[in-house]
Amino acid sequence: MPFEGVDFYGIDALLTEEERAVRDAVRTWVDNRVMPIIAQHYLDGRFPAHLVPEMGELGVFGANLPVEFGCAGLNNVAYGLIMQELERGDSGLRSFASVQGALVMYPIHEFGSEPQRRRWLPELARGRVIGCFGLTEADHGSDPAGLTTTARPAGDGWVLNGGKMWITNGSSAQIAIIWAKTGRLEEPDSIRGFIVPTDAPGFSARDQKGKLSLRASDTSELVLDNVPVGPDALLPGSRGLKAPLKCLTAARFGIAWGSVGAAMACYDEALRYAQTRVMFGKPIGGFQLQQARLVEMLTEITKAQLLALHLGRLKDGGTVTPQQVSLAKRNNVQIATDIAREARRLLGANGILAEYQAMRHLANLESVYTYEGTHDIHTLILGEDITGLDAFQ
Ligand code: TGC
Ligand code: FAD
């Protein structure tokens, strides 16, 4: 059944015609191409790779980057709506698009040279080249400043050594944006970004097995063992930890929208179920307890939609701060997780089946809660912003 949206406050009227058209195109594509297959991919632990060229055709990769580099050149609200619809299908699909767009194309556009932009962005936009983003290491997740991967000068290029952990698209990517230190390990200021071809000697990727969350997404460990790269691998504008953190802000913006999509999917499913599932002689939606559940879900979705939309307008106006993005990521992922859990409970035993969406979204959202800055880290980012006191150390 096609998804009709959740819009209690008439928020559609606040969107432009173009924003609605983009949203509807991706919505229809998700209904037709993702919904029929996603449960099986999730059960099989397989990313639906055959959809990547179609996503490229749709223009979802790096959709807010300029047309001159083969991208859609949309505003940030339209970009957010794309993330919302993709994650309504599955967080793994939105993850793929977030990594490709915000964590691979964005840094090439922001920190790359003109030849790097022209070489890579059009191919990445079409999905002909897949990228991944290697910041996290086994011993450095929330504190990337401590990363120990190194890049040492060699000839006119560099040699990279180290390892990355939990890397989305790691085993399917042709290029990896690797964050490495060019100076001493205690110097986060020496962090630079490199475009590393994954077929370079000494580069290997191994899928992480046994995931109970984001099963329709590839997550890998990367090993860099004396990987030689040329001078054109360095992103010349990337200097210090601030560079990868700016990429994270771009990806967190997409998650603030995407998580609303997952929440809408769960609410929609729970509402339909409540209207038709008969127990004690009447639909369970007629019982006050289930109505309270549904009202709570709708209220939080409506607030999250307004938060995401205003965040998008702030970004389009050029005034958004990383902390404002943190607030929306933190809130919207939290409410989406709560809504997925409540939807699963409302569905009773059926709620644990892959045939329904709630449990898959719930399991996925546990990863979304953790990656791109855990909920706790965003609490501390906001705590520091409002008090002026850094609670990280
Ligand atoms: P700190 O001293 O606070 O900051 C260093 C410099 O960076 C600036 N800055 C930011 N700039 C842009 N965006 C942000 N979000 C920024 N946060 C900080 C800051 O102003 C400073 O600039 P300057 O000019 O003074 O040098 O750095 P810190 O070492 O204390 O770390 C701060 C902390 C803990 C908040 C940061 O390390 C952090 O965000 N940690 C979480 C790590 C994380 O989110 N990793 C995500 C890995 S990628 C991923 O998960 C992909 S999932 C796939 C998908 O998206 O679907
Ligand atoms: P830790 O940092 O070890 O945190 C463990 C716990 O301690 C958490 O509850 C955390 O909130 C808490 N904690 C940490 N520091 C503090 C503190 N100062 N105060 C209070 N509590 C604290 N990374 C990439 O670079 N690229 C990717 O593509 C990518 N994809 C991912 C895909 C998936 C499916 C997952 C699960 C992760 C992915 N990540 C990726 C990694 C992700 O960003 C990290 O897992 C995340 O940043 C947290 O790091 P950690 O897992 O090492 O947890």
Side-chain angles (χ1 to χ4, degrees), residues 94-96 98-99 103 133 135-136 141-145 168 189 241-242 245-246 248-249 251-252 255 322 371-374 377-378 381 384 390 392-393:
R94 198 271 308 136
S95 272
F96 186 95
S98 278
V99 169
L103 297 180
F133 177 88
L135 178 66
T136 304
S142 296
D143 64 341
T168 303
D189 284 353
L241 183 62
K242 197 171 185 159
L245 291 181
K246 282 179 86 171
L248 300 188
T249 297
R252 290 166 180 172
I255 294 173
Y371 67 36
E372 284 294 353
T374 68
I377 289 299
H378 291 293
I381 289 171
E384 180 182 2
D390 174 356
F392 285 109
Q393 321 293 338

Side-chain angles (χ1 to χ4, degrees), residues 172-370:
S172 53
Q174 285 83 48
I175 58 170
I177 303 293
I178 297 292
W179 298 93
K181 284 180 179 156
T182 54
R184 292 184 304 130
L185 288 186
E186 47 293 359
E187 288 175 348
D189 284 353
S190 77
I191 292 175
R192 312 288 306 265
F194 294 85
I195 306 171
V196 180
T198 57
D199 61 0
F203 187 104
S204 57
R206 194 182 52 179
D207 274 342
Q208 288 173 251
K209 300 288 182 201
K211 280 187 305 168
L212 297 176
S213 168
L214 274 187
R215 287 185 53 75
S217 169
D218 297 329
T219 315
S220 321
E221 178 182 358
L222 309 182
V223 176
L224 296 110
D225 181 11
N226 281 313
V227 177
V229 292
D232 56 347
L234 174 68
L235 292 170
S238 67
R239 286 180 194 280
L241 183 62
K242 197 171 185 159
L245 291 181
K246 282 179 86 171
C247 304
L248 300 188
T249 297
R252 290 166 180 172
F253 173 81
I255 294 173
W257 283 86
S259 48
V260 181
M264 283 160 62
C266 294
Y267 168 75
D268 183 60
E269 179 172 78
L271 178 59
R272 288 175 198 278
Y273 194 85
Q275 287 166 331
T276 53
R277 172 71 174 168
V278 175
M279 203 48 57
F280 294 98
K282 66 173 180 179
I284 59 169
F287 294 111
Q288 292 177 8
L289 284 174
Q290 304 313 328
Q291 289 190 358
R293 248 192 186 129
L294 291 165
V295 168
E296 207 55 53
M297 290 182 200
L298 177 64
T299 306
E300 292 307 323
I301 286 170
T302 304
K303 283 152 58 179
Q305 287 171 330
L306 290 168
L307 206 55
L309 180 59
H310 191 62
L311 188 76
R313 297 285 181 234
L314 288 174
K315 192 166 184 201
D316 281 328
T319 63
V320 76
T321 66
Q323 292 81 3
Q324 287 169 333
V325 175
S326 281
L327 189 146
K329 190 270 184 186
R330 179 180 182 277
N331 181 76
N332 290 5
V333 176
Q334 172 76 68
I335 66 102
T337 311
D338 292 344
I339 287 167
R341 188 184 307 107
E342 289 306 311
R344 203 238 40 86
R345 290 176 180 170
L346 185 147
L347 266 65
N350 279 327
I352 71 162
L353 291 176
E355 187 184 330
Y356 292 87
Q357 306 172 60
M359 184 90 182
R360 173 168 54 80
H361 279 299
L362 175 58
N364 282 340
L365 286 162
E366 287 296 334
S367 284
V368 183
Y369 188 91
T370 290

Side-chain angles (χ1 to χ4, degrees), residues 117-147:
R117 291 172 175 172
R118 301 223 169 269
R119 163 79 182 83
W120 295 111
L121 292 179
E123 295 288 283
L124 287 157
R126 296 308 291 261
R128 291 197 195 110
V129 169
I130 296 172
C132 68
F133 177 88
L135 178 66
T136 304
E137 299 182 353
D139 295 329
H140 295 284
S142 296
D143 64 341
L147 65 83

Side-chain angles (χ1 to χ4, degrees), residues 7-145:
D7 187 13
F8 196 67
Y9 263 30
I11 294 169
D12 255 27
L14 302 177
L15 303 176
T16 65
E17 211 169 298
E18 183 182 50
E19 289 161 353
R20 276 197 297 273
V22 168
R23 192 262 326 267
D24 291 346
V26 180
R27 179 169 287 178
T28 303
W29 180 81
V30 168
D31 280 339
N32 293 338
R33 303 293 295 152
V34 178
M35 300 318 288
I37 57 141
I38 194 63
Q40 195 57 50
H41 276 265
Y42 190 89
L43 290 173
D44 295 346
R46 263 187 314 125
F47 174 71
H50 65 285
L51 296 178
V52 172
E54 294 178 33
M55 292 165 83
E57 279 290 314
L58 264 176
V60 307
F61 300 136
N64 52 356
L65 295 175
V67 173
E68 65 169 304
F69 298 113
C71 307
L74 297 173
N75 71 6
N76 288 293
V77 169
Y79 172 86
L81 289 163
I82 291 173
M83 297 299 129
Q84 172 189 292
E85 292 305 316
L86 292 179
E87 193 146 2
R88 182 175 65 80
D90 192 83
S91 300
L93 212 61
R94 198 271 308 136
S95 272
F96 186 95
S98 278
V99 169
Q100 183 88 346
L103 297 180
V104 176
M105 296 171 71
Y106 168 79
I108 292 174
H109 182 258
E110 184 73 11
F111 308 120
S113 63
E114 198 57 18
Q116 286 171 330
R117 291 172 175 172
R118 301 223 169 269
R119 163 79 182 83
W120 295 111
L121 292 179
E123 295 288 283
L124 287 157
R126 296 308 291 261
R128 291 197 195 110
V129 169
I130 296 172
C132 68
F133 177 88
L135 178 66
T136 304
E137 299 182 353
D139 295 329
H140 295 284
S142 296
D143 64 341

